[in-house]
Amino acid sequence: LPILREQGLTVVSHVTDDVRSAMGVNDRAGLMEVEALAQRQILAAHAEAGVTFLAPDSVCVEAGVRIGADTVIASATTLRGDTAVGSGCVVGPATTITDSTLADGVTAPHSYLVEARVEEGASLGPFAYLRPGAHIGPGAKVGTFIAQLSSASRESLRGAYPTSVRYITSASCVKTIVSRAAGAYGVVN
């Protein structure tokens, strides 16, 4: 307040019944408190609309994210930016989605999506990484340790071994692609 007065600005009081609206942020601890309150309000609004949060204290949902009814958000999940999650989805645990769209009925445990589009009934992961431009078709399965870049999958991608990471790039996959330690095979358009 003294700084404002020194600058010749007017300082007035305001009566409020909600002390949260008058909380100040003077340090990082104060910022954490205000962010926690804001996050609680965002999650409460989604919960009232039919979204289930299994571990709400470990979930981060930014303002503006849209989530459909009957979707379950598991622990350690982060939803950012212009993200839309359909109804009846299961997202998480440990999933981060940024600026992406998930249609109804998608499952995405332990996955990382950036600017991707996932169609109805598709299944991701665990440990799938969808990079910008990835498009997963209806009912498709993107399996363990798959990184998909700027391509469309209509059926199934599956990683067979944790040490066998494969990248699917600039392709339109119409059949199952299975990565194996000896190499990858499949039918690609």
Side-chain angles (χ1 to χ4, degrees):
L1 293 177
I3 294 171
L4 296 174
R5 286 189 183 129
E6 286 175 12
Q7 294 177 357
L9 299 172
T10 304
V11 178
V12 296
S13 62
H14 175 73
V15 178
T16 181
D17 292 331
D18 183 6
V19 72
R20 294 174 299 179
S21 68
M23 290 181 70
V25 176
N26 298 314
D27 55 27
R28 290 184 183 178
L31 180 60
M32 285 188 332
E33 286 182 42
V34 170
E35 284 179 340
L37 286 171
Q39 192 58 212
R40 262 309 193 197
Q41 288 177 324
I42 291 169
L43 296 185
H46 285 294
E48 289 170 5
V51 178
T52 300
F53 295 95
L54 298 182
D57 289 337
S58 71
V59 171
C60 179
V61 177
E62 290 185 354
V65 168
R66 298 165 311 282
I67 307 172
D70 298 321
T71 286
V72 176
I73 306 296
S75 63
T77 294
T78 301
L79 305 176
R80 297 181 177 141
D82 186 24
T83 291
V85 178
S87 62
C89 295
V90 178
V91 179
T95 294
T96 299
I97 302 174
T98 304
D99 297 327
S100 297
T101 301
L102 276 62
D104 296 342
V106 171
T107 59
H110 300 280
S111 298
Y112 194 91
L113 290 72
V114 180
E115 297 174 16
R117 190 171 77 205
V118 181
E119 300 294 340
E120 185 172 352
S123 175
L124 309 176
F127 311 110
Y129 181 16
L130 303 186
R131 294 186 184 194
H135 177 204
I136 307 303
K141 293 175 176 46
V142 176
T144 305
F145 297 100
I146 294 290
Q148 184 156 1
L149 300 85
S150 204
S151 59
S153 298
R154 290 191 214 110
E155 288 189 23
S156 182
L157 302 170
R158 184 177 81 236
Y161 303 104
T163 59
S164 177
V165 177
R166 297 287 184 248
Y167 291 91
I168 310 301
T169 64
S170 299
S172 177
C173 303
V174 294
K175 295 289 179 188
T176 301
I177 294 176
V178 180
S179 67
R180 302 230 181 243
Y185 61 85
V187 178
V188 180
N189 260 3

